Amino acid sequence: MNLSKRWLGEFVQVEDTDRNFAEALTLSGSKVESYEHEGAVLENIVVGHVEEIERHPDSDHLWVCKIDDGSGDIIQIITGAQNVSKGDYVPVARHKSVIASGDKITAGKLRGLESRGMLCSLGELGLSAHDFPYAIEDGIFILGDDCDKTIGMDIRESIGLNDTIVEFEITSNRPDCLSIIGLARETAATYNLPLNLHTPEVKPGIEDVNDYLKVDIECKDKCYRYCGAVVKNVRVAPSPRWMRERLRAEGVRPINNIVDITNYVMLEYGQPMHAFDLRYLNGNHVIVRNAKDGETITTLDGEERTLTNEMMVIADEKAPVAVAGVMGGEFSGIMDDTDTIVFESACFNGVSVRRAAKALGMRTEASARFEKQLNPDDCDVCLNRALELIQMLDAGDVVNGMVDNYATPKEPVVLPFMPEWTNKFIGIDVPADEQAEILRKIGFTVENDKITAPAFRIDIEHQADISEEIARFYGYNNIPTRELAGVAKATLTERQRFNKLLEKTSMGCGLSEIQTFSFISPKSYDKIRLPENSTLRNCVTIMNPLGEDTSVMRTTAIPSMLEVLGRNYARKNDKAALYELATVYLSNGKDELPDENQSLVLGMYGKNYTYYSLKGIVEKILSVCGIEDYNVEPKKDASAFHPGRTGEFIVDGKQIAICGEIHPAVLENYGIGARAYVAVIDVEYLFEKANLVRIYKALPKFPATTRDLAFVANIDMPVLKLEKAISDVSGKFLENIELFDIFTGAQIGENKKSVAFNLRFRSAERTLTDDEVNSAVKKAIKAAEELGAVLRG
């Protein structure tokens, strides 16, 4: 819903900035989406007066104009428009100006003569002939008598293109706010200002409406009220500028005075209206009824619609003339030769209108309002407003009276006034008098400990609704913060904290999180070269899958990771480093639910990533989880991995993780043209073995002694095995052992490698002697030699 602040000013005077206005209305419950200023893009365009005009000496179609733009100098502007004459007042885009398209206008030369700007058309101001019907669409806009012709005035001020438009998001339970008056009521209550509402007054007219119109309602459960009035001697003409401006600001295109009046009343009061040509109303009789199955009507948009008996229509004595609450029929509209019209103001069942509009594929401004359920008490007021405007605009002669068939009167909603209950419910302490005053300023009646809701507030049903009204005008930001009563404070479980630790560590190692589907294609097992007899092929099959690609629950998350790596590679990403905390589903038999286990899957490719990059991340995760005692052993039979570049991490004789380079055949299956590395960590076993208790260790008081030892070992000797052998015999003073170099080459020997460790010794009680350190080093060398390693000289 758009709100014209100029139109709003007719009902409530607000002296505040646009930003503060938006914030205040949002805080009181009317959410502002945005606001904008009409003509904001226009710059340096003013009212100018054509002092002289003559043909360009070197052109048959150009004119040289002398323009007074209010700057003190007469400027020269050349134009190709043929509708400009001496004495005209025109929009002048000066040197260094901006028009509606965003184009900048600067001085230049046309056929050798200087032009100091441009004369503007309606389109160049962002307008059309609907905004100024007397203007020529493709010519220069000649300002009429409805414009301020003060020379040098900003053109936006002159033509009324200077309104502020505020866009509101109106919830479906507040149809009263789909109107200028509804938002004015909210504004007045928000700012505690007086609301100046106007009571429509219709002057005595001619004849009697009952001689021209009869109304019957057959479906009283769907049509609550129908009001009709007649206007004779209709004089169709353009609406005055003030009405065109307001309609434009609300996003409605002006058409003519009759159509504009119906739209104006709909925007002002929120009540859709319709005008029928009385010539096409057989028997001058309006019958509101259910349509007959198969009955047809051609609507105003020229489409023939087939109706059902669940739809409500406005009919005459022969056929439907409108789909009630949705759209009028082809011959119900206002034409140039229309002489007598019937104004309709009715209230229909919202659900019925919504169903009909949806079934016919016709969502209109009227149906969008009716389907939210409008207030039947406003029908006569809105009709009187339309008749008042008819007389104000001299658009016809009003026939005295109106036909008012109020078939189903609306019962007022009455609730007890319970200020103590409201305070307790919200958690505030507002006196009863203040609560009553808040309710009164938004239209409620508070008397004798009873609250009567205004008829336009169709959303008020319970005591909690009253409390909401108190809360939003008391101020949500003034309500003290407190915990919900009777609700235990939410905390993460131990497993949830553990999972968050894994995610945080993975991100800290430079990996980005992905989330994939838990269901995959059974062909994925072939793509990762899973053996036919593997138990991982015993997966749960989905009974109603989205497709073959998502027909089974995964037993391993490796295919999911490779799919994402392959997608990144296909999109020319030169590197990727990813992780997923993935759930896998291990079958327990046909009639049993599967075990749902979690795996932490890591994957990467790129020139800066190697097997050791990924292995280091796995080791970091194990370290963060407090697991230090593990072995890394070669894994040669892992189907998806390279047989010579894969290792498994063993804790207490059981695999806790596998890490390696993906097999070239698998890479080809996923379209990855670079070396890729994947690790899978068993989160269930990791959680079982994790030790997250951290024991404080004081900073050492005594110095450390270090030794570097380099050994020549067989090329296939696991470094970790050698490291553990050294660590096990080096005694209690060994504080740390760290691998710092691996080297292969001709000088080392064929099938040999050089492995170098740094050993750090320290005592927490004293400084170690050289003999103590040397003794430990000798034991380390002996342990290495027992594994076939030789100390390098």
Side-chain angles (χ1 to χ4, degrees):
M1 173 69 190
N2 289 342
L3 172 68
S4 159
K5 288 195 72 176
R6 182 180 297 155
W7 197 347
L8 174 69
E10 180 179 323
F11 303 104
V12 57
Q13 296 293 325
V14 179
E15 299 294 336
D16 205 350
T17 65
D18 295 331
R19 182 181 181 86
N20 290 344
F21 176 81
E23 290 180 352
L25 267 292
T26 298
L27 284 174
S28 68
S30 303
K31 183 183 177 186
V32 174
E33 288 288 314
S34 63
Y35 61 86
E36 63 177 349
H37 302 107
E38 281 188 320
V41 70
L42 303 179
E43 293 182 15
N44 202 20
I45 303 177
V46 299
V47 176
H49 182 254
V50 182
E51 301 288 333
E52 297 179 16
I53 182 170
E54 59 183 22
R55 286 196 176 276
H56 192 294
D58 293 327
S59 174
D60 293 333
H61 69 281
L62 295 179
W63 295 88
V64 181
C65 303
K66 302 294 184 181
I67 305 293
D68 182 359
D69 67 345
S71 62
D73 297 323
I74 302 298
I75 64 174
Q76 177 172 287
I77 292 178
I78 298 175
T79 180
Q82 304 302 307
N83 67 316
V84 182
S85 304
K86 180 179 179 179
D88 286 342
Y89 291 87
V90 293
V92 178
R94 293 167 167 168
H95 174 55
K96 294 185 178 181
S97 60
V98 180
I99 59 176
S101 63
D103 294 331
K104 297 181 179 179
I105 306 301
T106 56
K109 289 189 176 183
L110 286 175
R111 298 286 181 93
L113 295 183
E114 183 184 45
S115 180
R116 294 288 299 171
M118 182 178 77
L119 306 185
C120 297
S121 66
L122 282 172
E124 286 154 346
L125 299 176
L127 303 172
S128 71
H130 292 285
D131 300 297
F132 289 90
Y134 58 80
I136 299 175
E137 190 84 53
D138 57 354
I140 299 302
F141 177 28
I142 309 301
L143 303 186
D145 292 337
D146 58 354
C147 301
D148 190 327
K149 298 178 182 179
T150 302
I151 297 174
M153 173 183 283
D154 190 307
I155 194 64
R156 293 170 294 192
E157 299 289 332
S158 168
I159 64 177
L161 191 64
N162 58 346
D163 202 351
T164 298
I165 314 302
V166 184
E167 181 186 358
F168 286 84
E169 177 188 322
I170 305 300
T171 54
S172 59
N173 67 325
R174 291 298 305 275
D176 59 298
C177 287
L178 288 171
S179 65
I180 303 298
I181 289 177
L183 291 173
R185 188 180 290 112
E186 292 292 305
T187 301
T190 300
Y191 283 92
N192 202 24
L193 294 171
L195 179 65
N196 305 310
L197 293 182
H198 167 70
T199 301
E201 295 182 3
V202 182
K203 300 174 183 177
I206 60 175
E207 305 179 64
D208 186 348
V209 69
N210 293 296
D211 296 335
Y212 288 89
L213 183 65
K214 180 182 178 182
V215 174
D216 285 316
I217 301 175
E218 294 182 0
C219 50
K220 297 181 180 180
D221 60 327
K222 293 182 179 178
C223 179
Y224 306 134
R225 188 177 189 181
Y226 192 101
C227 297
V230 176
V231 177
K232 294 185 65 177
N233 304 320
V234 171
R235 297 176 281 279
V236 179
S239 299
R241 187 185 116 177
W242 62 266
M243 180 175 283
R244 299 196 307 267
E245 279 181 11
R246 292 184 176 186
L247 292 176
R248 180 186 68 230
E250 295 297 316
V252 175
R253 185 180 67 180
I255 303 295
N256 58 53
N257 51 4
I258 304 300
V259 176
D260 291 352
I261 284 171
T262 63
N263 287 331
Y264 188 90
V265 173
M266 179 183 70
L267 293 169
E268 188 173 47
Y269 284 86
Q271 171 68 44
M273 297 188 65
H274 190 64
F276 295 98
D277 191 325
L278 190 62
R279 287 178 298 178
Y280 302 107
L281 197 64
N282 287 289
N284 292 5
H285 191 182
V286 170
I287 305 171
V288 187
R289 61 173 172 84
N290 289 332
K292 301 171 185 176
D293 269 332
E295 197 170 24
T296 61
I297 182 174
T298 301
T299 47
L300 281 171
D301 57 4
E303 295 288 330
E304 184 176 84
R305 316 279 180 175
T306 301
L307 308 175
T308 70
N309 61 6
E310 294 181 350
M311 299 175 184
M312 183 173 34
V313 296
I314 310 299
D316 56 23
E317 293 180 348
K318 291 185 177 180
V321 295
V323 181
V326 182
M327 186 180 287
E330 182 177 24
F331 298 105
S332 69
I334 305 305
M335 305 175 189
D336 292 339
D337 62 343
T338 296
D339 178 71
T340 305
I341 61 173
V342 175
F343 269 130
E344 165 195 286
S345 178
C347 184
F348 306 112
N349 177 268
V351 174
S352 175
V353 172
R354 180 179 61 82
R355 287 175 176 169
K358 184 177 180 181
L360 296 173
M362 300 167 59
R363 185 173 176 83
T364 62
E365 279 287 338
S367 68
R369 284 172 163 79
F370 276 125
E371 69 184 27
K372 294 175 177 62
Q373 196 52 66
L374 299 182
N375 171 31
D377 286 1
D378 281 343
C379 292
D380 57 337
V381 177
C382 296
L383 188 54
N384 279 329
R385 176 59 167 158
L387 297 176
E388 180 185 51
L389 290 170
I390 286 285
Q391 294 178 335
M392 186 184 302
L393 273 55
D394 192 27
D397 299 325
V398 175
V399 175
N400 288 319
M402 72 169 65
V403 178
D404 185 358
N405 191 331
Y406 203 160
T408 311
K410 184 178 187 297
E411 295 295 328
V413 175
V414 179
L415 296 169
F417 182 45
M418 303 167 60
E420 297 83 3
W421 188 93
T422 298
N423 281 335
K424 183 178 179 181
F425 183 71
I426 304 174
I428 56 178
D429 185 15
V430 179
D433 290 346
E434 187 175 338
Q435 290 190 32
E437 183 57 33
I438 289 175
L439 294 172
R440 289 190 183 102
K441 71 181 183 181
I442 51 176
F444 289 73
T445 301
V446 184
E447 290 180 351
N448 302 321
D449 293 329
K450 298 288 184 182
I451 301 171
T452 303
F456 58 82
R457 289 301 300 273
I458 59 96
D459 59 312
I460 303 299
E461 296 179 354
H462 308 289
Q463 198 67 38
D465 297 324
I466 300 297
S467 298
E468 181 184 358
E469 300 305 302
I470 301 297
R472 67 192 186 97
F473 288 108
Y474 172 74
Y476 291 125
N477 53 337
N478 295 324
I479 299 174
T481 302
R482 61 186 175 89
E483 293 184 1
L484 293 176
V487 178
K489 187 175 182 180
T491 58
L492 296 176
T493 64
E494 186 179 357
R495 179 58 182 269
Q496 288 173 329
R497 290 196 298 270
F498 182 73
N499 285 357
K500 285 188 174 294
L501 175 64
L502 296 182
E503 293 175 345
K504 183 177 180 180
T505 304
S506 300
M507 286 188 285
C509 290
L511 306 181
S512 298
E513 183 181 14
I514 63 171
Q515 291 183 348
T516 60
F517 289 126
S518 294
F519 31 80
I520 61 175
S521 167
K523 295 178 181 178
S524 299
Y525 299 130
D526 296 327
K527 293 176 73 172
I528 64 171
R529 302 173 67 249
L530 196 66
E532 291 293 334
N533 60 351
S534 173
T535 57
L536 293 181
R537 286 185 179 269
N538 299 328
C539 49
V540 177
T541 302
I542 301 174
M543 294 179 63
N544 55 341
L546 298 174
E548 190 277 339
D549 287 345
T550 55
S551 60
V552 299
M553 304 303 292
R554 65 188 176 192
T555 55
T556 171
I558 292 176
S560 302
M561 175 58 72
L562 292 175
E563 287 281 358
V564 179
L565 290 176
R567 194 176 305 124
N568 276 269
Y569 186 83
R571 293 177 181 175
K572 309 301 181 185
N573 290 329
D574 57 358
K575 63 180 180 179
L578 312 170
Y579 81 91
E580 179 181 14
L581 197 58
T583 303
V584 296
Y585 301 81
L586 305 178
S587 178
N588 275 327
K590 184 177 181 180
D591 298 326
E592 298 290 334
L593 291 174
D595 288 335
E596 298 184 23
N597 297 333
Q598 283 188 311
S599 297
L600 180 61
V601 188
L602 319 177
M604 57 177 57
Y605 73 82
K607 65 179 181 179
N608 294 327
Y609 298 130
T610 67
Y611 164 79
Y612 296 106
S613 304
L614 190 58
K615 178 174 177 285
I617 295 175
V618 175
E619 290 174 337
K620 177 64 175 178
I621 291 172
L622 294 179
S623 176
V624 167
C625 294
I627 299 176
E628 303 291 347
D629 188 14
Y630 57 84
N631 289 322
V632 180
E633 299 178 358
K635 182 73 172 174
K636 298 183 180 297
D637 59 350
S639 59
F641 295 91
H642 194 295
R645 300 168 186 166
T646 303
E648 58 179 344
F649 289 73
I650 306 297
V651 175
D652 292 342
K654 180 179 176 181
Q655 184 190 96
I656 197 169
I658 185 170
C659 173
E661 182 179 328
I662 296 299
H663 196 286
V666 177
L667 292 176
E668 184 177 351
N669 291 338
Y670 286 94
I672 303 174
R675 287 186 173 185
Y677 309 91
V678 170
V680 182
I681 303 174
D682 185 343
V683 175
E684 308 300 328
Y685 192 45
L686 183 64
F687 180 65
E688 178 186 331
K689 292 295 182 181
N691 178 15
L692 303 181
V693 177
R694 296 293 181 263
I695 299 177
Y696 170 75
K697 292 182 179 180
L699 292 174
K701 297 180 180 180
F702 300 96
T705 301
T706 60
R707 295 286 191 274
D708 290 340
L709 298 178
F711 298 95
V712 176
N714 291 333
I715 193 72
D716 59 355
M717 166 71 72
V719 174
L720 185 59
K721 184 177 181 179
L722 184 59
E723 181 182 307
K724 281 184 172 293
I726 294 172
S727 180
D728 289 344
V729 302
S730 294
K732 64 179 181 179
F733 297 131
L734 179 65
E735 186 178 63
N736 186 58
I737 178 171
E738 181 178 357
L739 173 72
F740 69 87
D741 183 54
I742 297 179
F743 177 74
T744 58
Q747 62 271 46
I748 300 300
E750 189 176 357
N751 294 325
K752 298 288 184 180
K753 62 183 176 183
S754 172
V755 182
F757 297 98
N758 174 264
L759 283 67
R760 184 169 72 241
F761 299 90
R762 192 197 308 266
S763 170
E765 301 170 350
R766 55 186 174 81
T767 301
L768 296 176
T769 64
D770 287 342
D771 289 343
E772 288 174 316
V773 174
N774 291 337
S775 174
V777 169
K778 289 178 181 178
K779 293 177 182 178
I781 293 171
K782 183 178 180 181
E785 290 174 344
E786 290 176 355
L787 293 178
V790 179
L791 185 67
R792 288 185 62 184

